Coordinates of all heavy atoms in Angstrom, one line a residue:
M141 N -19.3 -14.4 10.5 CA -17.9 -14.1 10.0 C -17.9 -13.1 8.9 O -18.8 -12.9 8.2 CB -17.4 -15.6 9.3 CG -15.9 -15.4 8.8 SD -15.5 -17.0 8.3 CE -14.6 -16.7 6.8
T142 N -17.0 -12.1 9.3 CA -17.0 -10.9 8.4 C -16.2 -11.2 7.2 O -15.3 -11.9 7.0 CB -16.3 -9.7 9.1 OG1 -15.1 -10.1 9.4 CG2 -17.2 -9.3 10.4
K143 N -16.6 -10.5 6.0 CA -16.0 -10.7 4.7 C -14.7 -9.8 4.7 O -14.7 -8.8 5.2 CB -16.9 -10.1 3.7 CG -16.4 -9.9 2.4 CD -17.6 -9.4 1.4 CE -16.9 -8.8 0.2 NZ -17.8 -8.1 -0.6
P144 N -13.6 -10.5 4.2 CA -12.3 -9.7 4.2 C -12.4 -8.5 3.2 O -13.0 -8.7 2.2 CB -11.3 -10.7 3.8 CG -12.1 -11.8 3.1 CD -13.6 -11.7 3.7
R145 N -11.8 -7.4 3.5 CA -11.8 -6.3 2.7 C -10.8 -6.4 1.4 O -9.6 -6.9 1.8 CB -11.4 -5.1 3.3 CG -12.6 -4.7 4.4 CD -12.2 -3.5 5.0 NE -13.2 -3.1 6.0 CZ -13.6 -2.0 6.3 NH1 -13.1 -0.9 5.7 NH2 -14.5 -1.8 7.3
E146 N -11.2 -6.1 0.3 CA -10.3 -6.2 -0.9 C -10.3 -4.7 -1.4 O -10.6 -4.7 -2.5 CB -11.0 -7.0 -1.9 CG -11.2 -8.5 -1.5 CD -12.0 -9.3 -2.6 OE1 -12.6 -8.6 -3.4 OE2 -12.0 -10.4 -2.4
C147 N -10.0 -3.8 -0.8 CA -9.9 -2.4 -1.0 C -11.2 -1.9 -0.4 O -12.3 -2.6 -0.6 CB -9.9 -2.1 -2.5 SG -8.9 -0.6 -2.8
A148 N -11.1 -1.0 0.5 CA -12.1 -0.6 1.4 C -13.5 -0.5 0.8 O -13.6 0.2 -0.2 CB -11.7 0.7 2.2
E149 N -14.5 -1.1 1.3 CA -15.9 -0.8 0.9 C -16.3 0.3 1.4 O -17.3 0.9 1.0 CB -16.7 -2.0 1.3 CG -16.3 -3.3 0.8 CD -16.9 -4.6 1.4 OE1 -17.5 -4.4 2.5 OE2 -16.6 -5.7 1.0
E150 N -15.8 1.0 2.5 CA -16.1 2.2 3.1 C -15.0 2.9 3.4 O -13.8 2.3 3.5 CB -17.1 1.9 4.4 CG -16.2 1.1 5.4 CD -17.0 0.2 6.3 OE1 -17.9 -0.3 5.9 OE2 -16.7 0.3 7.4
P151 N -15.0 4.2 3.4 CA -13.8 5.0 3.6 C -13.2 4.7 5.0 O -13.8 4.5 6.0 CB -14.3 6.5 3.6 CG -15.6 6.4 3.1 CD -16.2 5.2 3.2
Q152 N -11.8 4.5 4.9 CA -11.1 4.3 6.1 C -10.4 5.6 6.4 O -9.9 6.4 5.7 CB -10.0 3.2 6.0 CG -10.7 1.8 5.7 CD -9.7 0.7 5.6 OE1 -8.6 0.8 5.8 NE2 -10.0 -0.4 4.9
Q153 N -10.2 5.9 7.7 CA -9.6 7.1 8.3 C -8.1 6.8 8.0 O -7.4 5.9 8.4 CB -9.8 7.4 9.7 CG -9.1 8.7 10.1 CD -9.8 9.3 11.1 OE1 -10.8 8.7 11.7 NE2 -9.4 10.5 11.7
V154 N -7.5 7.8 7.2 CA -6.0 7.7 7.0 C -5.5 9.0 8.0 O -6.0 10.0 8.0 CB -5.7 8.0 5.5 CG1 -4.3 8.1 5.3 CG2 -6.4 7.1 4.6
T155 N -4.3 8.6 8.5 CA -3.6 9.7 9.5 C -3.4 10.9 8.8 O -2.7 11.0 7.6 CB -2.4 9.0 10.0 OG1 -2.6 7.7 10.5 CG2 -1.7 9.9 11.0
P156 N -3.8 12.0 9.3 CA -3.5 13.3 8.6 C -2.1 13.6 8.8 O -1.4 13.2 9.7 CB -4.3 14.4 9.4 CG -4.7 13.6 10.6 CD -4.6 12.1 10.3
P157 N -1.5 14.4 7.8 CA -0.1 14.6 7.7 C 0.5 15.2 9.0 O 1.7 14.8 9.4 CB 0.2 15.7 6.5 CG -1.1 15.4 5.6 CD -2.2 15.0 6.6
A158 N -0.2 16.1 9.8 CA 0.5 16.7 10.9 C 0.6 15.5 12.1 O 1.4 15.6 13.0 CB -0.5 17.8 11.4
A159 N -0.2 14.4 12.0 CA -0.2 13.4 13.0 C 0.9 12.3 12.7 O 1.0 11.3 13.6 CB -1.5 13.0 13.3
R160 N 1.4 12.2 11.5 CA 2.3 11.1 11.2 C 3.6 11.2 11.8 O 4.0 12.1 12.1 CB 2.5 11.2 9.6 CG 1.2 10.9 8.9 CD 1.4 10.9 7.4 NE 0.2 10.7 6.7 CZ -0.1 11.3 5.6 NH1 0.6 12.1 4.9 NH2 -1.3 11.0 5.0
R161 N 4.2 10.0 12.2 CA 5.3 9.9 12.9 C 6.6 10.1 12.0 O 7.7 10.5 12.4 CB 5.6 8.5 13.5 CG 4.7 8.3 14.6 CD 4.6 7.0 15.1 NE 3.7 6.2 14.6 CZ 3.6 4.8 14.7 NH1 4.4 4.2 15.3 NH2 2.7 4.2 14.0
E162 N 6.4 9.9 10.6 CA 7.5 10.2 9.7 C 7.0 10.9 8.5 O 5.9 10.8 8.0 CB 8.0 8.6 9.2 CG 8.5 7.8 10.4 CD 8.8 6.5 9.8 OE1 8.3 6.0 8.8 OE2 9.6 5.7 10.5
P163 N 7.9 11.8 7.9 CA 7.5 12.4 6.7 C 7.4 11.5 5.5 O 8.1 10.4 5.4 CB 8.6 13.3 6.5 CG 9.8 12.9 7.2 CD 9.2 12.1 8.3
R164 N 6.4 11.8 4.7 CA 6.2 11.1 3.4 C 6.8 11.7 2.3 O 6.7 13.0 2.2 CB 4.7 10.7 3.2 CG 4.2 9.7 4.2 CD 2.8 9.4 3.9 NE 2.3 8.4 4.9 CZ 1.0 8.0 4.9 NH1 0.2 8.3 4.0 NH2 0.7 7.2 6.0
Y165 N 7.4 11.2 1.4 CA 7.9 11.8 0.1 C 7.4 11.3 -1.1 O 7.3 10.1 -1.3 CB 9.5 11.5 0.1 CG 10.2 12.0 1.4 CD1 10.5 11.1 2.4 CD2 10.4 13.3 1.6 CE1 11.1 11.5 3.6 CE2 11.1 13.8 2.7 CZ 11.4 12.7 3.7 OH 12.0 13.3 4.9
P166 N 6.8 12.2 -2.1 CA 6.2 11.8 -3.1 C 7.2 11.0 -4.1 O 8.3 11.4 -4.2 CB 5.8 13.0 -3.9 CG 6.3 14.1 -3.2 CD 6.9 13.5 -2.0
V167 N 6.7 9.9 -4.8 CA 7.6 9.2 -5.7 C 7.0 9.1 -7.0 O 7.7 9.5 -8.0 CB 7.8 7.9 -5.2 CG1 8.7 6.9 -6.0 CG2 8.4 7.9 -3.7
N168 N 5.7 8.6 -7.3 CA 5.1 8.5 -8.5 C 5.8 7.6 -9.4 O 6.1 8.1 -10.6 CB 4.6 9.8 -9.1 CG 3.6 9.6 -10.1 OD1 2.7 8.8 -10.0 ND2 3.5 10.5 -11.0
K169 N 6.4 6.4 -9.1 CA 7.3 5.5 -10.0 C 6.5 4.2 -10.1 O 5.9 3.7 -9.3 CB 8.6 5.3 -9.5 CG 9.3 6.6 -9.2 CD 10.0 6.9 -10.6 CE 10.8 8.1 -10.3 NZ 11.4 8.6 -11.5
G170 N 6.6 3.7 -11.3 CA 6.1 2.4 -11.8 C 6.9 1.3 -11.0 O 8.0 1.4 -10.9
I171 N 6.1 0.2 -10.4 CA 6.7 -0.9 -9.6 C 5.9 -2.1 -10.0 O 5.0 -2.0 -10.7 CB 6.7 -0.7 -8.1 CG1 5.3 -0.5 -7.5 CG2 7.6 0.5 -7.8 CD1 5.2 -0.6 -6.2
Q172 N 6.3 -3.3 -9.5 CA 5.4 -4.4 -9.5 C 5.2 -5.0 -8.1 O 6.2 -4.8 -7.3 CB 6.2 -5.5 -10.4 CG 6.3 -5.1 -11.8 CD 6.9 -6.4 -12.7 OE1 7.6 -7.2 -12.1 NE2 6.4 -6.6 -13.8
I173 N 4.2 -5.4 -7.8 CA 3.9 -6.1 -6.6 C 3.5 -7.6 -6.7 O 3.1 -7.9 -7.9 CB 2.8 -5.4 -5.8 CG1 1.4 -5.6 -6.5 CG2 3.1 -4.0 -5.5 CD1 0.2 -5.2 -5.7
T174 N 4.0 -8.5 -5.9 CA 3.6 -9.7 -5.9 C 2.7 -10.0 -4.6 O 3.2 -9.8 -3.6 CB 4.8 -10.7 -5.9 OG1 5.7 -10.3 -6.9 CG2 4.4 -12.2 -5.9
A175 N 1.4 -10.4 -4.8 CA 0.5 -10.6 -3.9 C -0.2 -12.0 -4.1 O -0.7 -12.2 -5.3 CB -0.6 -9.6 -3.8
A176 N -0.1 -12.8 -3.1 CA -0.8 -14.2 -3.5 C -0.2 -14.9 -4.6 O -1.1 -15.6 -5.4 CB -2.3 -14.1 -3.2
G177 N 1.1 -14.7 -5.0 CA 1.6 -15.4 -6.0 C 1.4 -14.7 -7.5 O 1.9 -15.2 -8.4
V178 N 0.7 -13.7 -7.4 CA 0.3 -12.9 -8.7 C 1.2 -11.7 -8.8 O 1.1 -10.8 -7.9 CB -1.1 -12.7 -8.7 CG1 -1.4 -11.8 -10.0 CG2 -1.9 -13.9 -8.7
V179 N 1.9 -11.5 -9.9 CA 2.7 -10.2 -10.2 C 1.8 -9.3 -11.0 O 1.1 -9.6 -11.9 CB 3.9 -10.6 -11.0 CG1 4.7 -9.3 -11.2 CG2 4.8 -11.5 -10.2
T180 N 1.6 -8.0 -10.3 CA 0.8 -6.9 -10.9 C 1.5 -5.6 -10.9 O 2.2 -5.3 -10.0 CB -0.4 -6.8 -10.0 OG1 -1.1 -8.0 -9.9 CG2 -1.5 -5.8 -10.6
P181 N 1.4 -4.9 -12.1 CA 2.0 -3.6 -12.2 C 1.4 -2.6 -11.1 O 0.1 -2.8 -11.0 CB 1.8 -3.1 -13.6 CG 0.8 -3.9 -14.1 CD 0.8 -5.3 -13.4
A182 N 2.0 -1.6 -10.5 CA 1.4 -0.8 -9.6 C 2.2 0.5 -9.7 O 3.3 0.7 -10.3 CB 1.5 -1.3 -8.2
V183 N 1.7 1.7 -9.0 CA 2.5 2.8 -8.9 C 2.8 3.1 -7.4 O 2.0 3.0 -6.5 CB 1.5 4.0 -9.4 CG1 2.2 5.3 -9.2 CG2 1.2 3.8 -10.9
L184 N 4.0 3.4 -7.1 CA 4.5 3.8 -5.9 C 4.2 5.4 -5.7 O 4.7 6.1 -6.4 CB 6.0 3.5 -5.8 CG 6.7 3.9 -4.4 CD1 6.0 3.0 -3.3 CD2 8.2 3.5 -4.5
V185 N 3.2 5.6 -4.9 CA 2.7 6.9 -4.8 C 3.7 7.8 -3.8 O 4.0 8.9 -4.2 CB 1.3 7.0 -4.0 CG1 0.7 8.4 -3.9 CG2 0.4 6.3 -5.1
N186 N 3.9 7.2 -2.7 CA 4.8 7.9 -1.7 C 5.6 7.1 -0.9 O 5.2 5.8 -0.8 CB 4.1 9.0 -0.9 CG 3.2 8.5 0.0 OD1 3.4 7.6 0.8 ND2 2.0 9.2 0.0
E187 N 6.6 7.5 -0.1 CA 7.4 6.6 0.8 C 7.8 7.3 1.9 O 7.9 8.5 2.0 CB 8.8 6.0 0.0 CG 9.6 7.1 -0.3 CD 10.8 6.6 -1.1 OE1 10.9 5.4 -1.5 OE2 11.7 7.4 -1.6
S188 N 8.0 6.6 3.1 CA 8.6 7.1 4.2 C 9.6 6.1 4.8 O 9.9 5.1 4.1 CB 7.4 7.3 5.2 OG 7.0 5.9 5.7
M189 N 10.2 6.4 5.9 CA 11.3 5.5 6.4 C 10.7 4.1 6.5 O 11.5 3.2 6.3 CB 11.8 6.1 7.7 CG 12.9 5.2 8.3 SD 14.4 5.2 7.4 CE 15.2 6.5 8.1
H190 N 9.5 3.8 7.0 CA 9.0 2.5 7.3 C 7.9 2.1 6.4 O 7.0 1.2 6.9 CB 8.7 2.3 8.7 CG 10.0 2.4 9.6 ND1 10.4 3.6 10.2 CD2 10.9 1.5 9.9 CE1 11.4 3.1 10.9 NE2 11.9 2.1 10.7
G191 N 7.6 2.8 5.4 CA 6.4 2.4 4.6 C 6.3 3.1 3.3 O 7.0 3.9 2.8
F192 N 5.2 2.6 2.5 CA 4.9 3.1 1.3 C 3.3 3.2 1.1 O 2.5 2.7 1.8 CB 5.3 2.1 0.2 CG 6.8 1.8 0.3 CD1 7.1 0.6 0.9 CD2 7.7 2.5 -0.4 CE1 8.5 0.2 0.9 CE2 9.0 2.1 -0.4 CZ 9.4 1.0 0.3
C193 N 3.1 4.1 0.1 CA 1.6 4.1 -0.4 C 1.8 3.7 -1.9 O 2.6 4.3 -2.6 CB 1.0 5.4 -0.3 SG -0.6 5.6 -0.9
I194 N 0.8 2.8 -2.1 CA 0.8 2.4 -3.6 C -0.5 2.3 -4.2 O -1.6 2.4 -3.4 CB 1.2 0.7 -3.9 CG1 0.4 -0.2 -3.0 CG2 2.8 0.7 -3.4 CD1 0.7 -1.7 -3.5
R195 N -0.6 2.4 -5.5 CA -2.0 2.4 -6.1 C -2.0 1.3 -7.2 O -0.9 1.2 -8.0 CB -2.3 3.7 -6.7 CG -3.7 3.9 -7.3 CD -4.1 5.3 -7.7 NE -3.9 6.1 -6.5 CZ -3.4 7.3 -6.7 NH1 -2.8 7.9 -7.6 NH2 -3.4 8.1 -5.5
V196 N -2.9 0.5 -7.2 CA -2.9 -0.8 -8.1 C -4.3 -1.0 -8.7 O -5.2 -0.9 -7.9 CB -2.2 -1.9 -7.4 CG1 -3.0 -2.3 -6.3 CG2 -1.9 -3.0 -8.5
A197 N -4.4 -1.2 -10.0 CA -5.7 -1.8 -10.4 C -5.8 -3.2 -10.6 O -4.8 -3.9 -11.0 CB -5.8 -1.1 -11.9
G198 N -6.8 -3.8 -10.3 CA -7.1 -5.2 -10.4 C -6.5 -6.3 -9.4 O -6.6 -7.3 -9.4
A199 N -5.7 -5.6 -8.3 CA -5.3 -6.5 -7.3 C -6.1 -6.5 -6.1 O -6.9 -5.7 -5.8 CB -3.8 -5.9 -6.8
R200 N -6.3 -7.7 -5.5 CA -7.1 -7.8 -4.3 C -6.3 -7.8 -3.1 O -5.7 -8.8 -2.7 CB -7.8 -9.2 -4.4 CG -8.8 -9.2 -5.6 CD -9.5 -10.5 -5.6 NE -10.3 -10.6 -6.8 CZ -11.6 -10.9 -6.7 NH1 -12.2 -11.2 -5.5 NH2 -12.5 -10.7 -7.8
L201 N -6.1 -6.6 -2.5 CA -5.2 -6.6 -1.3 C -6.1 -6.5 -0.1 O -7.1 -5.7 -0.1 CB -4.4 -5.2 -1.4 CG -3.4 -5.1 -2.7 CD1 -2.8 -3.8 -2.6 CD2 -2.4 -6.2 -2.6
Q202 N -5.6 -7.1 1.0 CA -6.4 -7.1 2.3 C -5.5 -6.7 3.4 O -4.2 -7.0 3.3 CB -6.7 -8.7 2.6 CG -7.8 -9.2 1.5 CD -8.0 -10.6 1.8 OE1 -7.7 -11.3 2.8 NE2 -8.8 -11.2 1.0
R203 N -6.1 -6.1 4.4 CA -5.3 -5.6 5.5 C -4.6 -6.8 6.3 O -5.2 -7.9 6.3 CB -6.1 -4.9 6.6 CG -6.5 -3.5 5.9 CD -7.2 -2.8 7.1 NE -8.5 -3.2 7.2 CZ -9.3 -2.7 8.2 NH1 -9.0 -2.0 9.1 NH2 -10.6 -3.2 8.2
G204 N -3.4 -6.6 6.6 CA -2.6 -7.7 7.1 C -1.8 -8.6 6.2 O -1.0 -9.4 6.6
Q205 N -2.1 -8.5 4.9 CA -1.5 -9.4 4.0 C -0.1 -8.9 3.6 O 0.2 -7.7 3.7 CB -2.3 -9.2 2.6 CG -1.7 -10.0 1.4 CD -2.6 -9.6 0.2 OE1 -3.5 -8.9 0.1 NE2 -2.5 -10.6 -0.8
L206 N 0.9 -9.9 3.4 CA 2.3 -9.5 3.1 C 2.4 -9.5 1.6 O 1.9 -10.5 0.9 CB 3.2 -10.6 3.7 CG 3.3 -10.5 5.2 CD1 4.3 -11.7 5.7 CD2 4.0 -9.2 5.7
I207 N 3.0 -8.5 1.0 CA 3.2 -8.5 -0.3 C 4.8 -8.1 -0.6 O 5.4 -7.6 0.3 CB 2.3 -7.5 -1.0 CG1 2.6 -6.0 -0.6 CG2 0.9 -7.8 -0.8 CD1 1.8 -5.0 -1.4
K208 N 5.1 -8.4 -1.8 CA 6.5 -8.0 -2.1 C 6.5 -6.8 -3.2 O 5.6 -6.9 -4.2 CB 7.2 -9.2 -2.7 CG 8.7 -8.9 -3.1 CD 9.5 -10.1 -3.6 CE 9.0 -10.8 -4.8 NZ 9.8 -11.9 -5.4
L209 N 7.3 -5.9 -3.1 CA 7.4 -4.7 -4.1 C 8.7 -4.9 -4.7 O 9.7 -5.1 -4.1 CB 7.4 -3.2 -3.2 CG 6.1 -2.9 -2.7 CD1 5.6 -3.6 -1.6 CD2 6.3 -1.3 -2.3
S210 N 8.7 -4.9 -6.1 CA 9.8 -4.9 -6.8 C 10.0 -3.6 -7.6 O 9.0 -3.3 -8.3 CB 9.8 -6.1 -7.7 OG 9.6 -7.3 -7.1
Y211 N 11.2 -3.1 -7.7 CA 11.4 -1.8 -8.4 C 12.8 -1.9 -8.9 O 13.7 -2.8 -8.4 CB 11.2 -0.5 -7.6 CG 11.5 -0.8 -5.9 CD1 12.8 -0.5 -5.6 CD2 10.5 -1.2 -5.1 CE1 13.1 -0.6 -4.1 CE2 10.8 -1.4 -3.7 CZ 12.2 -1.1 -3.4 OH 12.5 -1.2 -2.0
A212 N 13.2 -0.9 -9.6 CA 14.5 -0.7 -10.2 C 15.8 -0.8 -9.3 O 16.7 -1.5 -9.6 CB 14.8 0.4 -11.0
W213 N 15.6 -0.4 -8.0 CA 16.6 -0.3 -7.1 C 16.6 -1.4 -6.0 O 17.4 -1.5 -5.0 CB 16.7 1.0 -6.4 CG 15.5 1.5 -5.8 CD1 15.3 1.4 -4.5 CD2 14.3 2.1 -6.3 NE1 14.0 2.0 -4.2 CE2 13.4 2.4 -5.3 CE3 14.1 2.4 -7.6 CZ2 12.1 3.0 -5.5 CZ3 12.7 3.1 -7.9 CH2 11.8 3.4 -6.9
G214 N 15.6 -2.4 -6.2 CA 15.6 -3.6 -5.2 C 14.2 -4.0 -5.0 O 13.3 -3.9 -5.8
E215 N 14.1 -4.9 -4.1 CA 12.6 -5.3 -3.6 C 12.6 -5.5 -2.1 O 13.6 -5.4 -1.4 CB 12.4 -6.7 -4.2 CG 13.4 -7.7 -4.3 CD 12.8 -9.0 -5.0 OE1 12.4 -8.9 -6.1 OE2 13.0 -10.0 -4.4
V216 N 11.4 -5.4 -1.6 CA 11.2 -5.4 0.0 C 9.8 -6.0 0.1 O 8.9 -5.9 -0.8 CB 11.1 -3.9 0.4 CG1 10.1 -3.1 -0.1 CG2 11.2 -4.0 2.0
E217 N 9.7 -6.7 1.3 CA 8.4 -7.2 1.7 C 7.8 -6.4 2.6 O 8.4 -5.7 3.6 CB 8.7 -8.5 2.4 CG 7.4 -9.4 2.6 CD 7.6 -10.8 3.1 OE1 7.7 -11.0 4.3 OE2 7.6 -11.6 2.1
A218 N 6.4 -6.1 2.5 CA 5.6 -5.2 3.3 C 4.3 -5.7 3.7 O 3.8 -6.6 3.0 CB 5.5 -3.8 2.7
R219 N 3.7 -5.2 4.7 CA 2.4 -5.7 5.2 C 1.4 -4.5 4.9 O 1.7 -3.4 5.1 CB 2.5 -5.9 6.8 CG 1.1 -6.3 7.4 CD 1.2 -6.8 8.7 NE 1.9 -5.8 9.7 CZ 1.4 -4.7 10.2 NH1 0.3 -4.4 10.0 NH2 2.3 -3.9 11.0
V220 N 0.2 -5.0 4.4 CA -0.8 -4.0 4.1 C -1.5 -3.6 5.4 O -1.8 -4.4 6.1 CB -1.9 -4.6 3.3 CG1 -3.0 -3.7 2.9 CG2 -1.2 -5.1 1.8
V221 N -1.5 -2.3 5.7 CA -2.0 -1.7 6.9 C -3.4 -1.1 6.6 O -4.3 -1.3 7.4 CB -1.2 -0.6 7.4 CG1 -1.7 0.1 8.7 CG2 0.4 -1.1 7.7
W222 N -3.7 -0.5 5.5 CA -5.0 0.0 5.1 C -5.2 -0.1 3.7 O -4.1 -0.2 2.8 CB -5.3 1.3 5.6 CG -4.3 2.4 5.2 CD1 -3.2 2.9 5.9 CD2 -4.2 3.1 4.0 NE1 -2.4 3.9 5.3 CE2 -3.0 4.0 4.0 CE3 -5.0 3.2 2.8 CZ2 -2.7 4.8 3.0 CZ3 -4.7 4.0 1.9 CH2 -3.5 4.8 2.0
T223 N -6.5 0.0 3.2 CA -6.7 0.0 1.7 C -7.9 0.9 1.6 O -8.7 1.1 2.5 CB -7.1 -1.4 1.2 OG1 -8.3 -1.8 1.8 CG2 -6.0 -2.4 1.3
R224 N -8.1 1.5 0.5 CA -9.2 2.4 0.0 C -9.3 2.4 -1.4 O -8.4 2.3 -2.1 CB -9.2 3.7 0.6 CG -8.1 4.6 0.2 CD -8.0 6.0 0.7 NE -6.9 6.7 0.3 CZ -6.4 7.8 0.8 NH1 -7.2 8.4 1.9 NH2 -5.4 8.4 0.3
E225 N -10.6 2.7 -2.0 CA -10.6 2.8 -3.4 C -10.5 4.3 -3.8 O -11.1 5.1 -3.1 CB -12.0 2.3 -3.7 CG -12.2 2.3 -5.3 CD -13.5 1.5 -5.8 OE1 -14.0 0.6 -5.1 OE2 -13.9 2.0 -6.8
V226 N -9.8 4.4 -4.9 CA -9.4 5.9 -5.2 C -9.5 5.9 -6.8 O -8.7 5.3 -7.4 CB -8.1 6.4 -4.9 CG1 -7.8 7.8 -5.4 CG2 -7.8 6.4 -3.4
G227 N -10.5 6.7 -7.4 CA -10.6 6.5 -8.8 C -10.7 5.2 -9.4 O -10.2 5.0 -10.6
G228 N -11.3 4.3 -8.9 CA -11.5 3.0 -9.4 C -10.3 2.0 -9.2 O -10.2 1.0 -9.7
Q229 N -9.3 2.5 -8.6 CA -8.1 1.6 -8.3 C -8.1 1.5 -6.8 O -8.7 2.1 -6.0 CB -6.9 2.4 -8.8 CG -6.8 2.5 -10.3 CD -5.5 3.0 -10.9 OE1 -4.9 3.7 -10.0 NE2 -5.0 2.5 -11.9
C230 N -7.2 0.5 -6.5 CA -7.0 0.3 -5.0 C -5.8 1.0 -4.5 O -4.7 0.9 -5.0 CB -6.8 -1.2 -4.7 SG -6.6 -1.7 -3.0
E231 N -5.8 1.8 -3.5 CA -4.7 2.5 -2.8 C -4.4 1.9 -1.5 O -5.4 1.5 -0.8 CB -5.0 4.0 -2.7 CG -3.7 4.7 -2.3 CD -4.1 6.2 -2.4 OE1 -4.5 6.8 -1.3 OE2 -3.7 6.8 -3.4
A232 N -3.2 1.5 -1.2 CA -3.0 0.8 0.0 C -1.7 1.4 0.8 O -0.7 1.8 0.0 CB -2.5 -0.7 -0.3
G233 N -1.8 1.3 2.1 CA -0.6 1.9 2.8 C 0.1 0.6 3.4 O -0.6 -0.4 3.8
L234 N 1.4 0.6 3.2 CA 2.2 -0.5 3.5 C 3.2 -0.3 4.6 O 3.8 0.9 4.6 CB 2.9 -1.1 2.2 CG 2.1 -1.3 1.0 CD1 3.0 -1.6 -0.3 CD2 1.1 -2.4 1.3
F235 N 3.5 -1.2 5.5 CA 4.4 -1.0 6.6 C 5.6 -2.0 6.2 O 5.3 -3.2 6.0 CB 3.8 -1.3 7.9 CG 4.7 -1.4 9.1 CD1 5.3 -0.2 9.5 CD2 5.1 -2.6 9.7 CE1 6.3 -0.2 10.6 CE2 6.1 -2.6 10.7 CZ 6.6 -1.4 11.0
V236 N 6.8 -1.5 6.4 CA 8.0 -2.3 6.4 C 8.6 -2.5 7.7 O 9.1 -1.5 8.3 CB 9.0 -1.8 5.3 CG1 10.3 -2.6 5.2 CG2 8.5 -1.5 3.9
P237 N 8.5 -3.8 8.2 CA 9.1 -3.9 9.6 C 10.6 -3.8 9.7 O 11.3 -3.8 8.7 CB 8.6 -5.4 9.9 CG 8.2 -6.1 8.6 CD 8.0 -4.9 7.7

């Protein structure tokens, strides 16, 4: 049985900008995420039509996990698509169905 990832132990390939289906827009705003019933502050790094990139310290995010993002203009549920460690924090790509 393989160990679930809690922020990538090894680098994961992230789609280069030229190959993305939707443009990403920088945001850099404070938000809260709820994962496994725990509310944690995070930073919304960028957004696209169907997803987000967030950065969070201390959260254990796993690919496939559903989390809730709460921000000043609403909330949304998203699925973790990828994770990687960046500067000691967990960065995650999220998909909104």
Side-chain angles (χ1 to χ4, degrees):
M141 185 164 134
T142 60
K143 177 180 155 191
R145 293 181 184 216
E146 301 172 348
C147 218
E149 297 166 354
E150 60 209 44
Q152 294 179 21
Q153 184 156 0
V154 178
T155 306
R160 293 181 179 141
R161 288 179 269 170
E162 301 172 342
R164 293 186 181 179
Y165 302 99
V167 179
N168 199 32
K169 296 282 184 187
I171 61 168
Q172 289 189 328
I173 63 166
T174 304
V178 177
V179 177
T180 306
V183 174
L184 183 60
V185 176
N186 66 48
E187 64 184 359
S188 68
M189 179 67 96
H190 291 100
F192 302 98
C193 177
I194 63 168
R195 191 170 297 136
V196 60
R200 296 176 182 234
L201 301 177
Q202 299 176 3
R203 285 188 284 174
Q205 180 179 15
L206 289 177
I207 65 172
K208 181 172 69 173
L209 285 73
S210 302
Y211 36 85
W213 56 98
E215 40 180 62
V216 66
E217 190 170 86
R219 180 175 44 87
V220 177
V221 177
W222 56 263
T223 65
R224 66 180 174 188
E225 189 172 325
V226 175
Q229 295 186 326
C230 184
E231 192 170 88
L234 310 173
F235 173 73
V236 179

